[in-house]
Amino acid sequence: MLTTPTTRVLRPSELKPALAVLNEDPVANAFVTARVLESGLQQPYLGGDMWGYYRDGRLTSLCYAGANLVPVRADAAAVEAFAERALRQGRRCSSLVGPAGPTAQLWARLEPHWGPARQLRPRQPLLATRRTAPGVTADPRVRRMRKDEMELVFPAAVAMFTEEVGISPLGAEDGGLAYQSRVAETVGSGRCFARVEDGRVVFKAEIGAVTPEVCQLQGVWTAPDRRGRGLATAGLATVLAHALAETAPVVSLYVNDFNAPALAVYRRLGFTRCGTLMSVLF
């Protein structure tokens, strides 16, 4: 039995206590929970390590260390322990993301060694809803994309990523192969929805992380020449209805606080704020 605070990589046998920590906030922790459920904490399916922070022999906090570094239920002592481990390991992630308070504390410890960040987004509203969009007519032309439509979806996905993150995923060391694989997995699993006009995607959205309690929307994008016409509101109403009917009882997403048009769309769709996230992009 561990009697002093410590951190170590979790084993598959510790799946139950890990899920207990994650389930303390199922909406905020949806991304990590989905990874844990899919992998059973087994490498290499997890896509990284899961660090556990133990106090008096009990697992109290987690930190997912993969392409993203994500603190979970981390108080000041856990943040300090995770920061020390991250510094020893060196930066392997492309971003930090998580609840604003712990993520800001973690970045304060890491920034002198890992900084400067390429982009800092300190306040990202976390939104959720349990109901279909009130008073919004869903777009009947938004549909689930088929596996054989990957080539149709991919240019829109690249445009969305480039606009959101500030760099093209095709500029990665692998030429965008990892990103292409992620998009193909989303399309192949039936979680990508889009409106197609004249052979091109003009609106798209995806159901990303999925757990028994919540699913997270991601990759929301409207073609620049079609913005301001209500496509996103009506399109998301369609995706929201599919998500609630087929995937999970709660649908969530997070958005940049400076994106006023998107925030207005989400309010109209009935999303309400349930937390604040923070992202640090490298």
Side-chain angles (χ1 to χ4, degrees):
M1 175 69 71
L2 302 172
T3 57
T4 58
T6 187
T7 62
R8 60 177 173 81
V9 176
L10 267 64
R11 300 182 294 267
S13 60
E14 295 169 290
L15 178 61
K16 184 175 180 179
L19 289 173
V21 173
L22 289 162
N23 288 336
E24 291 180 30
D25 191 341
V27 176
N29 300 331
F31 168 76
V32 178
T33 303
R35 285 295 182 93
V36 169
L37 289 171
E38 291 167 3
S39 67
L41 288 177
Q42 297 186 51
Q43 292 283 0
Y45 308 110
L46 184 60
D49 290 330
M50 185 66 71
W51 302 338
Y53 178 77
Y54 299 79
R55 183 181 286 112
D56 296 327
R58 185 173 69 89
L59 180 65
T60 60
S61 304
L62 304 169
C63 187
Y64 175 70
N68 310 301
L69 192 65
V70 188
V72 175
R73 311 301 287 171
D75 60 14
V79 166
E80 179 63 25
F82 293 145
E84 290 180 1
R85 191 175 190 104
L87 290 172
R88 289 197 302 271
Q89 173 181 277
R91 184 173 74 82
R92 301 178 183 177
C93 59
S94 59
S95 69
L96 272 65
V97 61
T103 304
Q105 295 170 21
L106 185 59
W107 178 233
R109 276 286 277 115
L110 298 177
E111 182 178 15
H113 308 275
W114 289 9
R118 183 173 56 80
Q119 289 190 33
L120 185 65
R121 299 174 179 178
R123 293 172 298 278
Q124 296 176 297
L126 176 64
L127 312 175
T129 186
R130 291 179 174 271
R131 58 177 182 163
T132 54
V136 176
T137 301
D139 185 348
R141 293 186 60 182
V142 170
R143 61 176 176 82
R144 194 188 312 271
M145 301 304 285
R146 303 187 306 268
K147 292 181 180 180
D148 62 355
E149 294 178 305
M150 171 63 182
E151 292 187 3
L152 186 61
V153 172
F154 192 62
V158 170
M160 179 282 302
F161 185 99
T162 304
E163 185 174 343
E164 171 65 20
V165 179
I167 56 174
S168 171
L170 304 182
E173 291 184 2
D174 65 355
L177 290 177
Y179 182 72
Q180 185 176 14
S181 177
R182 287 195 295 273
V183 175
E185 193 279 329
T186 302
V187 174
S189 62
R191 299 201 307 268
C192 179
F193 296 80
R195 175 176 173 134
V196 180
E197 295 180 358
D198 299 323
R200 68 166 181 144
V201 170
V202 296
F203 164 82
K204 80 166 194 70
E206 303 158 4
I207 300 173
V210 174
T211 78
E213 296 187 53
V214 61
C215 63
Q216 192 172 79
L217 298 187
Q218 64 181 28
V220 179
W221 179 83
T222 304
D225 64 321
R226 299 302 310 278
R227 293 175 185 174
R229 305 184 189 182
L231 282 184
T233 302
L236 279 168
T238 300
V239 180
L240 179 59
H242 278 283
L244 289 170
E246 304 168 359
T247 309
V250 176
V251 178
S252 73
L253 55 84
Y254 64 98
V255 60
N256 294 317
D257 62 342
F258 53 79
N259 192 342
L263 285 166
V265 168
Y266 300 140
R267 282 194 296 268
R268 187 177 178 193
L269 291 166
F271 283 88
T272 57
R273 190 166 184 168
C274 59
T276 304
L277 304 186
M278 174 179 175
S279 295
V280 181
L281 308 182
F282 299 110

